[in-house]
Amino acid sequence: MKKIAVIKGDGIGPEIVIGAIKVLDVISKKYNFPVEYTDVLMGGIAIEETGVPLPKETIDICKNSDAVLLGSVGGPKWDTLPGNLRPEAGLLGIRKALDVFANLRPAILFPQLKEASALKPEILKDNIDIMVIRELTGGIYFGERSRIDLEDGGQKAWDTMAYSTYEIERIAKVGFETARKRTKKLTLVDKANVLESSRLWREVVSKMAADYPDINFEVQLVDSCAMQLIRNPSQFDTILTENMFGDILSDEASMLTGSLGMLPSASLGNTTLGIYEPIHGSAPDIAGLDIANPIATIMSVAMMLRYSFNMEDAAKDIEDAVSKVLDKNYRTLDIMGPGMISVGTIEMSDLIVKEII
Ligand code: IPM
Ligand code: MG
């Protein structure tokens, strides 16, 4: 029995998670493993119902599960709350509570979506297949922050980006080992020309590179990397970077693949318990309209099978089903193109389910 904690969240979260659960249901029948879902609250909806973005019960249930499936959190309704009570604080809190320090964000261009990519075909070349490995439980997201009043009537606010050797080493190990299973090229992205924390990253990771002589290790500054992702994206294979840089670069990488609605993610720690969520947000402007793309969340289920359950065949089955539906020219609005057939969230999920059965 696989126990799955389900956090539908806010905005389009519930719609896309329902699609992903349909896929997980058929996969569990086909591959013969029972699944048990427990719905838990987090984000804006948790604020409404319990007063806090991350109730203790949610943490406990997630910790006692085999995997967490997550939609998205946040929305304009909660934008004026203090930082520690915003929906996003729930997301950061669950990542920290489960100690999932390694966030894997693959940006893969389906050949069928070349037209939907923001880049010209000659820049895309044959393929885009980048794995962004984002540190997820440290850095500026979790460092000391505050705000004070100044005598001049203004205010001063700060956030701190801090990393320890231990935090860098454990994520870098994931980076080297991931690169080893791919094309053996690892790019560390930092801002070592300015930031002391980046200089520590560069020292620690460069030292570790000596233990991985088979890996083609290089470093890039984050501003340059942002530019190179648009200029020549196929130079990248595995990108290793700190929390905030990874947040930004993974959104950028998603546009190479056509849409933010296509990119899944896995957040992993030292156990098999992981959090699986699309990299996109809650898109409150299109919530409830049945137009959101469920593919990122469905592909996150594939990552769950691969990383938490060690079921590579079942993971591939989902990815192939998505590819077949794209072959048949079905598209949600975000990836719509001339001559394609427009479908909504529910229909897209059902089409993928049909390919799996
Ligand atoms: C992401 C999101 C979150 C993040 C937000 C919603 C807090 O942008 O998962 O990329 O910054 O980590
Ligand atoms: Mg983000």
Side-chain angles (χ1 to χ4, degrees), residues 6 9 15 24 28 50-51 65 196 229 243 259 263 273 280 343:
V6 179
E15 313 163 50
L24 194 47
S28 78
T50 71
S65 300
E196 197 55 36
L229 272 170
N243 203 341
S259 165
L263 258 60
L273 170 58
H280 61 69
V343 294

Side-chain angles (χ1 to χ4, degrees), residues 131 133 172-187 208-217 237-239:
M131 177 68 91
I133 300 187
K173 184 162 181 271
V174 176
F176 282 110
E177 280 168 12
T178 305
R180 186 169 264 172
K181 290 190 209 124
R182 295 169 50 90
T183 69
K184 298 191 166 35
K185 180 170 180 189
L186 180 69
T187 307
M208 286 173 74
D211 298 332
Y212 296 89
D214 54 321
I215 305 290
N216 171 8
F217 172 67
D237 181 76
T238 308
I239 291 178

Side-chain angles (χ1 to χ4, degrees), residues 82-97:
N84 60 344
L85 288 176
R86 287 178 61 114
E88 291 80 1
L91 182 55
L92 302 195
I94 194 71
R95 289 171 177 169
K96 193 77 170 177

Side-chain angles (χ1 to χ4, degrees), residues 7-14 16-17 40-47 53-54 58 69-76 78-79 86-95 277-284:
I7 302 175
K8 294 199 178 95
D10 311 314
I12 58 171
I16 53 177
V17 168
V40 287
L41 294 173
M42 194 183 90
I45 179 146
I47 297 172
L54 180 62
T58 296
L69 177 63
L70 168 57
S72 50
V73 296
W78 307 285
D79 272 350
R86 287 178 61 114
E88 291 80 1
L91 182 55
L92 302 195
I94 194 71
R95 289 171 177 169
E277 56 172 318
I279 80 156
H280 61 69
S282 58

Side-chain angles (χ1 to χ4, degrees), residues 133-144:
I133 300 187
R134 169 188 178 193
E135 200 290 326
L136 201 61
T137 52
I140 199 162
Y141 274 53
F142 293 92
E144 190 212 313

